[in-house]
Amino acid sequence: MKIDLHIHSNYSDGVLSVFQIIDEAVKNKVQIISITDHDSIKGYSKKLFDYAKEKNITLIPGVEISTKYQGFGVHILGYNIDLNNEKLNNLLENSQKNRIDYLENVANKLRNFGFEINTHKLKELESVTKAHIALDVIKNENNKELLLSIFGKIPNKGLFIETLLNENCPCYVKKESISLKEVSLVIKNAGGLVFIAHPVAYHYEDNVNEETILKLAKEINADGIETGYVYITKNNEVVNESKLWQKFANENNLLTSIGSHFHKEDGLHPTIGLNDYKLSLIHISEPTRRVVI
């Protein structure tokens, strides 16, 4: 059995539609997936669940919610959520509003820095992220000269974000975020499981250690952590610390999950099902019968 519980569609910062994601899962021989768009569950519909069933794909309702902990950004994955839960939908609506406010403020800083940015186009997206902002700037031919003067080349989105948009960078803007504890409580209220997404990323991007991750997990009563994950650095280096985080989960009685964090095929980042990386951490919990790998 192959599982992938961290996939993004074009409802957030992915490229494929939710139906194309189902098709990719079939092609890659993946049996169970979750589409976990940023602060959005709008990709889910009865039509999508029917299509997944038709293709013999088990589709687990999921979402990835952005928040903060001790000054660094944290992403929380919610699985098996009730998509009609009122508190969850209200939280996601507020989070989307925060993203639009953030976009406006970042755009002003980027323009002052000399870049052109199409906020009108970006506002049309269901869930605008740093990745969307970075790509809009990078792909604009009118920004080419300034990009070359700063980076010496046309940067990828990761390098652009870590150089200009992250904390302590020239165009950094603090984004209002919903508290970590509220995110956890709302997911649980919606009948979901709370997982900490890609801890390896916090280590490499914010120098966060295992002790801090454990403290975080305890404070929000996390159900699990995403251990089966391949991290790509801003220099396109591949980091696989799955065994380390699997050991961490085992020692701290946390469930484990596996996810490609798929956005698009680019020849470097994992594809749906992580076919290009040998990771397998799978079991189905009883008696709840929830997929928790």
Side-chain angles (χ1 to χ4, degrees), residues 188-210:
K188 288 179 181 291
N189 176 263
L193 294 169
V194 173
F195 275 64
I196 300 168
H198 44 60
V200 60
Y202 313 135
H203 171 67
Y204 276 84
E205 294 175 14
D206 300 288
N207 296 314
V208 177
N209 58 30
E210 293 175 48

Side-chain angles (χ1 to χ4, degrees), residues 42 45 91 100 104 137-138 148 171 192 206 246 249 257 276 282:
K42 292 183 179 179
S45 65
L91 180 143
I100 295 299
E104 292 284 8
V137 173
I138 291 167
L148 290 173
C171 298
D206 300 288
Q246 177 69 49
S257 69
D276 26 12
I282 303 170

Side-chain angles (χ1 to χ4, degrees), residues 35 40-46 48-49 59-63 80-86 88-89 92 190:
I35 298 171
S40 176
I41 52 176
K42 292 183 179 179
Y44 286 102
S45 65
K46 182 180 184 303
L48 180 67
F49 282 101
L59 181 60
I60 306 299
V63 68
N80 293 292
I81 48 176
D82 174 6
L83 298 169
N84 298 312
N85 182 272
E86 184 177 356
L88 175 63
N89 279 278
L92 295 177

Side-chain angles (χ1 to χ4, degrees), residues 2-275:
K2 292 176 66 177
I3 295 177
D4 189 340
L5 299 185
H6 193 162
I7 302 170
H8 292 283
S9 78
N10 56 8
Y11 275 92
S12 62
D13 55 348
V15 170
L16 302 182
S17 73
V18 290
F19 293 94
Q20 287 173 321
I21 285 172
I22 300 295
D23 292 337
E24 281 296 302
V26 172
K27 185 179 79 174
N28 294 348
K29 296 180 171 55
V30 182
Q31 288 85 17
I32 302 174
I33 68 168
S34 182
I35 298 171
T36 52
D37 282 315
H38 291 287
D39 304 324
S40 176
I41 52 176
K42 292 183 179 179
Y44 286 102
S45 65
K46 182 180 184 303
K47 187 176 180 181
L48 180 67
F49 282 101
D50 288 345
Y51 187 71
K53 185 176 181 180
E54 177 189 322
K55 299 292 185 177
N56 293 316
I57 298 289
T58 299
L59 181 60
I60 306 299
V63 68
E64 184 175 20
I65 303 176
S66 302
T67 181
K68 281 189 174 291
Y69 181 73
Q70 294 187 1
F72 66 94
V74 176
H75 290 178
I76 298 297
L77 293 160
Y79 295 122
N80 293 292
I81 48 176
D82 174 6
L83 298 169
N84 298 312
N85 182 272
E86 184 177 356
K87 288 184 178 179
L88 175 63
N89 279 278
N90 288 340
L91 180 143
L92 295 177
E93 186 177 334
N94 289 335
S95 186
Q96 293 288 4
K97 180 182 179 300
N98 290 342
R99 283 183 181 274
I100 295 299
D101 292 342
Y102 172 79
L103 168 63
E104 292 284 8
N105 293 329
V106 171
N108 288 335
K109 284 206 169 187
L110 287 168
R111 289 185 182 117
N112 290 336
F113 207 76
F115 289 112
E116 287 187 13
I117 180 169
N118 190 341
T119 51
H120 178 73
K121 177 184 173 184
L122 290 169
K123 283 181 181 178
E124 293 177 352
L125 299 171
E126 287 288 347
S127 181
V128 65
T129 66
K130 285 182 182 178
H132 289 118
I133 295 169
L135 288 173
D136 184 85
V137 173
I138 291 167
K139 290 181 178 180
N140 190 323
E141 280 294 318
N142 294 332
N143 293 324
K144 185 175 180 179
E145 187 176 337
L146 182 54
L147 289 169
L148 290 173
S149 69
I150 295 171
F151 297 95
K153 61 180 180 180
I154 301 300
N156 60 30
K157 66 182 179 182
L159 182 58
F160 185 92
I161 289 169
E162 293 191 31
T163 304
L164 292 173
L165 302 184
N166 281 352
E167 197 165 358
N168 299 318
C169 296
C171 298
Y172 169 74
V173 170
K174 181 180 179 181
K175 184 172 74 175
E176 292 299 319
S177 61
I178 297 155
S179 77
L180 189 62
K181 287 186 178 179
E182 184 181 358
V183 169
S184 176
L185 286 172
V186 168
I187 290 173
K188 288 179 181 291
N189 176 263
L193 294 169
V194 173
F195 275 64
I196 300 168
H198 44 60
V200 60
Y202 313 135
H203 171 67
Y204 276 84
E205 294 175 14
D206 300 288
N207 296 314
V208 177
N209 58 30
E210 293 175 48
E211 183 180 351
T212 300
I213 296 295
L214 179 58
K215 186 179 178 184
L216 184 165
K218 288 181 177 179
E219 285 189 21
I220 64 172
N221 191 26
D223 297 291
I225 190 166
E226 187 175 39
T227 57
Y229 185 88
V230 174
Y231 178 68
I232 310 298
T233 71
K234 63 181 180 181
N235 297 318
N236 291 334
E237 297 165 332
V238 178
V239 178
N240 181 358
E241 293 186 352
S242 298
K243 289 182 179 179
L244 183 153
W245 291 106
Q246 177 69 49
K247 182 173 180 288
F248 174 90
N250 292 342
E251 291 174 348
N252 295 291
N253 197 30
L254 291 167
L255 300 173
T256 61
S257 69
I258 184 169
S260 62
H261 200 189
F262 178 82
H263 293 80
K264 65 177 182 178
E265 289 203 27
D266 60 7
L268 177 63
H269 292 78
T271 55
I272 291 174
L274 293 103
N275 286 2

